[in-house]
Amino acid sequence: MGLITLNRPKAMNALNDDLSQEVIGVLKAFDGDASIGAIVLTGSEKAFAAGADIREMHEKSFVDMFNENYFSAWDVISTIRKPIIAAVNGFALGGGCELAMLCDFIIAGSNAKFGQPEIKLGILPGIGGSQRLTRLVGRSLAMDLILTGRLIDAQEAKACGLVARVVPPEELLSVALDAADKIASYSYPAVLLAKEAVNRAEEVSLSEGVRHERRLFQAAFATSGQKEGMAAFLEKREAVFSGR
Ligand code: HXC
């Protein structure tokens, strides 16, 4: 299990270029490390991340943004094959909320606040927020949050499907690490296949998605994990998965 903690306390973990490159580099390294089965991405108790760094962005022109393809580097997260859990305490705003949504699921501390307040800065979400938030919570609430810039608390985020679980802030990291440990204890190929199947739901029609799932399900029968998992159930013992 791999843990990444965003740590720019003086700027509420605002995402600047250096931090972005560092986090992306570690995520790629974790993805290629056979000893890691799942990843947790977290921030501090005050802030997961308060967005892209406004100080870094404020003087940039369209051509600067276009030529740099600003923040497109985060797109690589959707190519990471291992599950990534976002453990969010405090503010997850703008790019911070988008980063949490790029992860596979979000566990929130009850003090968490989510929002896409870019409209207040004269801009709009730029790391997929308008697309992922809409898919996660529906058009009406996405429009509300993106057009008014209002923040929602952890309970509302749970009620609308943005986050999977809400826990006391002081328990957040241990709950997220336990979830990652549990995932990492399962058959590695089964975990990758399951993540791929769920992600497909956002890209294709229902019948194509079900067809794809069926093939992945059948492929699981080529793994030692399926043999071990089913044998262990029948023998009334804990399964021990080898990662093959
Ligand atoms: C740069 C930031 C920052 C940010 C906070 N800080 N957010 N610096 N970029 N996104 C800095 C503040 O300037 C301040 O620095 C310090 O962190 C503490 O913040 P305060 O505002 O004093 O704290 P507080 O009053 O508790 O308010 C917390 C907050 C507020 C509600 C999170 O800071 C806030 O609204 N931040 C901006 C949120 C936002 O608009 N995010 C969207 C950014 S645009 P000093 O030096 O004064 O102590 C975006 C686009 C993504 O994310 C797409 C890109 C492609």
Side-chain angles (χ1 to χ4, degrees):
M1 190 262 308
L3 172 64
I4 300 175
T5 305
L6 305 174
N7 186 22
R8 273 193 83 207
K10 64 178 170 36
M12 294 262 172
N13 288 338
L15 309 169
N16 63 5
D17 200 39
D18 288 348
L19 183 144
S20 303
Q21 295 308 330
E22 211 178 321
V23 172
I24 290 162
V26 176
L27 277 170
K28 283 191 193 160
F30 282 175
D31 208 31
D33 181 339
S35 71
I36 289 175
I39 300 164
V40 172
L41 178 60
T42 195
S44 69
E45 192 167 340
K46 272 197 194 150
F48 176 75
D53 191 315
I54 299 166
R55 215 172 289 281
E56 189 179 79
M57 279 186 298
H58 80 289
E59 283 187 331
K60 287 186 189 284
S61 67
F62 165 74
V63 173
D64 294 331
M65 293 306 235
F66 182 70
N67 287 358
E68 290 170 30
N69 211 1
Y70 195 72
F71 270 50
S72 60
W74 289 108
D75 294 347
V76 84
I77 297 185
S78 46
T79 69
I80 301 284
R81 295 174 80 208
K82 291 175 186 173
I84 311 173
I85 301 171
V88 176
N89 265 334
F91 295 105
L93 306 183
C97 187
E98 294 173 297
L99 176 55
M101 290 190 289
L102 268 161
C103 298
D104 294 306
F105 64 97
I106 302 173
I107 302 179
S110 53
N111 67 352
K113 293 248 187 307
F114 296 86
Q116 298 289 162
E118 288 94 337
I119 199 76
K120 297 180 180 175
L121 300 169
I123 57 169
L124 65 153
I127 320 175
S130 64
Q131 306 304 299
R132 291 196 180 86
L133 188 65
T134 306
R135 281 167 167 79
L136 280 166
V137 309
R139 179 174 184 272
S140 185
L141 184 58
M143 283 285 192
D144 177 4
L145 299 185
I146 289 169
L147 294 179
T148 69
R150 84 176 170 92
L151 310 188
I152 56 173
D153 63 18
Q155 291 306 333
E156 190 174 352
K158 168 89 169 59
C160 71
L162 176 58
V163 314
R165 311 187 205 174
V166 179
V167 300
E170 62 280 7
E171 290 173 22
L172 176 72
L173 192 57
S174 68
V175 171
L177 293 174
D178 282 354
D181 267 343
K182 181 156 278 279
I183 293 167
S185 77
Y186 294 135
S187 164
Y188 180 64
V191 166
L192 298 192
L193 291 168
K195 170 168 166 166
E196 182 182 334
V198 175
N199 278 336
R200 201 76 182 159
E202 290 185 340
E203 307 282 351
V204 301
S205 69
L206 181 60
S207 59
E208 280 305 316
V210 170
R211 195 195 314 272
H212 185 69
E213 181 200 70
R214 189 75 24 86
R215 290 295 164 268
L216 298 180
F217 171 77
Q218 291 160 351
F221 285 74
T223 66
S224 65
Q226 175 269 328
K227 301 288 174 282
E228 166 62 8
M230 293 192 177
F233 176 82
L234 294 173
E235 292 159 17
K236 301 188 189 301
R237 60 173 175 82
E238 286 287 310
V240 183
F241 295 110
S242 71
R244 304 290 305 165

